[in-house]
Structures are given as structure tokens and as C-alpha cells.
Amino acid sequence: DKLDALEAKHSKERIGIYQQKIEAVAAERDVMLADLAVESAKLETVRAKMDVKLNRVRTDVVGVKAAFEQELKKRRLLAEEERQELLGRIEDVRSDMTNKIIAQQESMETQKSAYINEQDAAIVKSEEECRQAWSELATLKQTLNDTNEEKSRMEGTVADKAALIESYENDRTSFRKSVRLSFKVAREKIGSKAKRVIGKDDK
């Protein structure tokens, strides 16, 4: 019985302790709930303020987005206008360059044709001049051959004439010598006769 009584006492004490702990935990929970309620209220206040700010930000974002989209639309329109203008300029430049290239090609073809015609004419002229030069050269060669032949004939004639002249000179020299000798003989004869005539007259 004492053990039962002691056990019952210990049980009551344990129950009391548990009860105290439960009450302490409950009190602490109540404090925590109160703190949580205060913090929740604070959070609610902050959330409400944040909602206001967030709504303001959203409104600002919507305005900014609308302004951005409007500005973007303007920029796109401006960019499209500039692109179209640039395409127009490119087309003008391309057309102008195409016309210039075509004109240059036509000019080059004209110059090429003129040059070819000029060269053909020059070639024909050169061929004609070449044929004429060959003809003149052939004529000159023939003339040279004829001249050489004539020269040879003339040299032969000159040699013959020189020999004839030399013969004439020799004959003339001989004739002069013969005449001088005849004159000498004649003078001697005349002198001798004159002396004989003079000798007779003196007697």
C-alpha cells in the first residue's frame, strides 16, 4: 500500500510537473501567437504599403511600357523611312552605275572597233608598203645588177680606151722623136749644103 501511495504521489507530482510544462508551453505559445499576430499585423501593413507601391510601380511600368512602345513605334517608323530612303538611294546609285557601266562598255566597244579598224587599215597599209618596198628593193637590186654590168662594160671600155690612149701616146712620142730626128737630119743636111755653097762663093 505504501508503494502504491508513493507511486500515486509520484504520479501526481509528475502530472503536476507535466501540467506546469503544458501550461508554460501554452503560455509561451500564447505569447508567440500574440507576437505572431503583431508581426502578422505589421506584415499586413507592410504588404498593404507594398501593394500600393507595387500598384504604383505597375502603373508606372504600364505608362513606361506604353511610352516605350510609342517611342519604339516612332523609331521603327523612322527606321523604315530611312531604310526606304536608303533603298531608293541604293537603287538610284545602282541604276546610275548600271547606266555608266553600259555607257562605258559601249564606249569601250566603239573604241575597240575603231582601234581594230585603224589597226586593220594600218596592217593593210603596212602590207602594201611592204609589198611596195619589196618591189622597190627588187627593182633596186635589178638596177644595181644592171649598174654593175654597165660598170663592168664601162670599165672594160675605159681599159680599152686607156690602152688605146697609151698606144696613141706611145705613137705620138715615137712620132715626136721621129720628127725631131728628121728635123735634126734636115738641119744637118741644110747646114752641110750651106757650108758647101758658101765655100764655093769664097773661091
Side-chain angles (χ1 to χ4, degrees), residues 28-45:
E28 186 176 356
R29 188 191 65 180
D30 292 339
V31 172
M32 291 178 65
L33 289 173
D35 292 339
L36 182 60
V38 171
E39 294 297 328
S40 295
K42 290 180 180 179
L43 288 174
E44 185 64 25
T45 301

Side-chain angles (χ1 to χ4, degrees), residues 1-199:
D1 294 333
K2 289 183 179 180
L3 290 172
D4 292 337
L6 183 61
E7 181 66 28
K9 181 180 179 181
H10 288 163
S11 296
K12 288 180 180 180
E13 289 177 354
R14 284 197 296 273
I15 291 170
I17 291 170
Y18 290 151
Q19 187 67 34
Q20 289 176 359
K21 289 183 178 180
I22 291 169
E23 290 177 355
V25 170
E28 186 176 356
R29 188 191 65 180
D30 292 339
V31 172
M32 291 178 65
L33 289 173
D35 292 339
L36 182 60
V38 171
E39 294 297 328
S40 295
K42 290 180 180 179
L43 288 174
E44 185 64 25
T45 301
V46 171
R47 189 184 66 77
K49 290 180 180 180
M50 291 300 295
D51 287 340
V52 172
K53 291 181 179 180
L54 185 59
N55 290 330
R56 187 180 300 116
V57 170
R58 285 174 179 171
T59 302
D60 293 340
V61 168
V62 171
V64 171
K65 183 179 179 181
F68 175 76
E69 290 179 351
Q70 186 68 23
E71 183 66 21
L72 182 61
K73 184 178 180 181
K74 290 180 180 179
R75 290 181 180 271
R76 284 176 178 173
L77 289 174
L78 181 61
E80 180 64 20
E81 291 176 357
E82 291 178 350
R83 188 178 75 86
Q84 292 296 331
E85 182 180 359
L86 182 59
L87 288 175
R89 291 180 181 177
I90 292 174
E91 180 63 24
D92 292 339
V93 171
R94 187 190 67 80
S95 177
D96 183 63
M97 290 300 295
T98 301
N99 293 333
K100 287 182 178 179
I101 291 172
I102 292 174
Q104 186 176 10
Q105 289 177 345
E106 291 177 351
S107 176
M108 289 178 66
E109 286 296 328
T110 301
Q111 293 177 4
K112 179 181 176 182
S113 298
Y115 178 76
I116 291 174
N117 293 332
E118 181 181 355
Q119 290 301 312
D120 289 340
I123 290 171
V124 171
K125 183 179 179 181
S126 297
E127 290 177 349
E128 182 63 27
E129 290 177 350
C130 185
R131 285 193 294 270
Q132 184 176 356
W134 278 109
S135 178
E136 291 177 355
L137 181 60
T139 302
L140 183 60
K141 285 183 178 179
Q142 185 62 41
T143 302
L144 182 61
N145 291 331
D146 294 342
T147 302
N148 289 331
E149 292 178 358
E150 182 66 22
K151 179 182 177 183
S152 298
R153 287 194 298 269
M154 289 179 67
E155 287 177 350
T157 302
V158 169
D160 293 339
K161 288 183 178 181
L164 183 59
I165 291 171
E166 185 178 359
S167 176
Y168 288 161
E169 287 292 332
N170 292 331
D171 292 342
R172 188 172 66 176
T173 302
S174 298
F175 177 73
R176 285 178 179 177
K177 288 179 179 180
S178 177
V179 169
R180 283 197 297 269
L181 181 60
S182 297
F183 283 163
K184 182 178 179 183
V185 172
R187 280 197 303 267
E188 288 177 353
K189 287 180 177 181
I190 292 171
S192 178
K193 287 180 180 182
K195 286 179 178 181
R196 285 196 301 266
V197 170
I198 292 170

